[in-house]
Amino acid sequence: MLPIAIQLYSVRDEAAADFEGTLKAIKAMGYEGVEFAGLHGKTAAEVKTLCAEIGLTPISAHVPYYDMVTDPKGVLSDYAEIGCEYVAIPYLTPECRPGTEGFAKVVENAEMLGKVAKELGMTLLYHNHDFEFEKIDGKYALEVLYDTVPADLLQTELDTCWVRVGGEEPAAYVRKFAGRAPVVHLKDYAGGKSEHMYELIGIESEDKAVEENPFEFRPVGFGVQDMPAIIKAAEDAGAKWVVVEQDQPSMGLTPIECAKKSIEYLKSL
């Protein structure tokens, strides 16, 4: 089994309230690494020390795209200091997505950020959602990005939930990027693609209709995903880490309880 980390966005409220306590709880569950989503007021030096003391590997960080573009070296240097091997573009706001003029600039900036990350001893990743599965001249926008920016400057961080929502079979799609897939996001869900999905990651929808089969994020192993097949594909593709991410809790559980359920399932495989 590949080493398992958690994207701390999954427990963001807990981390904001008690960063050190949350890291200790994550370690106690059996997670080996963490991927950051903000440092919750801590300095890079403090975070590096905490991870070392607790015994968690700081593998990566999701850093807002505009923050990185505004001050590439300043922002990325913090994560290099912490000891992150990777740093990821986590999400594109609507004006930057495929189908807008802004997407070409994203591709251009990804190459620039990849160079800065490389200079600092890190590798840039791109974390997809489903909107990158829009086609540009017959090719997925996600693949346009990866075909344009060299692999030594940009690697994949495939989010297997959004790959499936985007219309591709996750295990096969991970294998497609063999040698370029060092970090794979394990994300499970139930329900179908809907207008309300993005409300679950904080994006409001104007349509308030009740859905028959509502989309919801689930602990890993408790949704529709074939996790053993995805993990095998990640291993075959040369991944170094799998990362649990659950954007919102479900099943009547707290975020911490969801995180525990995910790691217990993965350890049972």
Side-chain angles (χ1 to χ4, degrees):
M1 182 71 187
L2 290 164
I4 304 163
I6 188 168
Q7 165 48 260
L8 290 173
Y9 183 76
S10 309
V11 289
R12 55 195 176 277
D13 292 342
E14 291 80 358
D18 181 3
F19 190 67
E20 181 175 351
T22 301
L23 291 184
K24 286 178 175 174
I26 289 302
K27 174 66 177 177
M29 288 177 201
Y31 287 98
E32 296 170 63
V34 286
E35 182 174 57
F36 300 101
L39 301 180
H40 302 287
K42 303 287 184 189
T43 66
E46 287 170 334
V47 173
K48 181 178 183 177
T49 299
L50 271 178
C51 286
E53 288 175 350
I54 294 167
L56 286 167
T57 302
I59 64 162
S60 180
H62 279 192
V63 185
Y65 169 69
Y66 282 125
D67 288 1
M68 287 196 280
V69 169
T70 301
D71 182 13
K73 200 148 195 176
V75 169
L76 295 182
S77 290
D78 278 346
Y79 296 97
E81 183 181 346
I82 289 167
C84 292
E85 188 173 354
Y86 306 99
V87 63
I89 298 172
Y91 180 74
L92 298 179
T93 44
E95 74 280 3
C96 296
R97 293 179 191 170
T100 71
E101 292 178 6
F103 186 68
K105 192 67 179 173
V106 168
V107 175
E108 189 181 311
N109 281 331
E111 184 159 345
M112 176 273 290
L113 292 169
K115 288 175 181 174
V116 175
K118 191 174 183 180
E119 286 168 13
L120 293 167
M122 298 185 295
T123 300
L124 183 70
L125 307 175
Y126 183 86
H127 170 264
N128 63 279
H129 289 77
D130 66 319
F131 46 74
E132 296 90 347
F133 289 88
E134 179 173 324
K135 289 193 172 177
I136 299 173
D137 297 328
K139 187 190 289 186
Y140 288 138
L142 188 63
E143 293 171 18
V144 170
L145 173 67
Y146 291 132
D147 288 348
T148 307
V149 183
D152 67 318
L153 298 180
L154 182 68
Q155 300 270 301
T156 73
E157 183 174 58
L158 294 172
D159 184 302
T160 54
C161 161
W162 295 118
V163 167
R164 181 165 174 160
V165 172
E168 291 291 329
E169 199 281 306
Y173 205 72
V174 168
R175 282 195 177 88
K176 180 182 174 72
F177 291 96
R180 200 176 180 174
V183 183
V184 175
H185 265 210
L186 303 182
K187 185 183 290 182
D188 217 337
Y189 72 98
K193 185 171 180 173
S194 77
E195 295 301 314
H196 298 277
M197 291 186 309
Y198 283 96
E199 289 189 355
L200 297 173
I201 55 173
I203 312 299
E204 283 297 326
S205 167
E206 291 179 11
D207 178 8
K208 299 301 178 188
V210 175
E211 292 167 348
E212 287 182 17
N213 188 28
F215 180 96
E216 70 173 17
F217 298 109
R218 288 280 183 88
V220 172
F222 293 85
V224 298
Q225 298 273 50
D226 183 349
M227 283 298 166
I230 290 170
I231 292 162
K232 178 67 167 63
E235 291 170 344
D236 293 347
K240 294 183 180 180
W241 286 89
V242 288
V243 177
V244 167
E245 182 179 44
Q246 186 173 344
D247 301 61
Q248 291 285 357
S250 61
M251 299 170 61
L253 303 172
T254 67
I256 284 283
E257 288 167 343
C258 287
K260 192 166 190 292
K261 224 167 176 52
S262 289
I263 189 81
E264 285 173 349
Y265 166 78
L266 290 169
K267 294 285 189 184
S268 76
L269 295 178

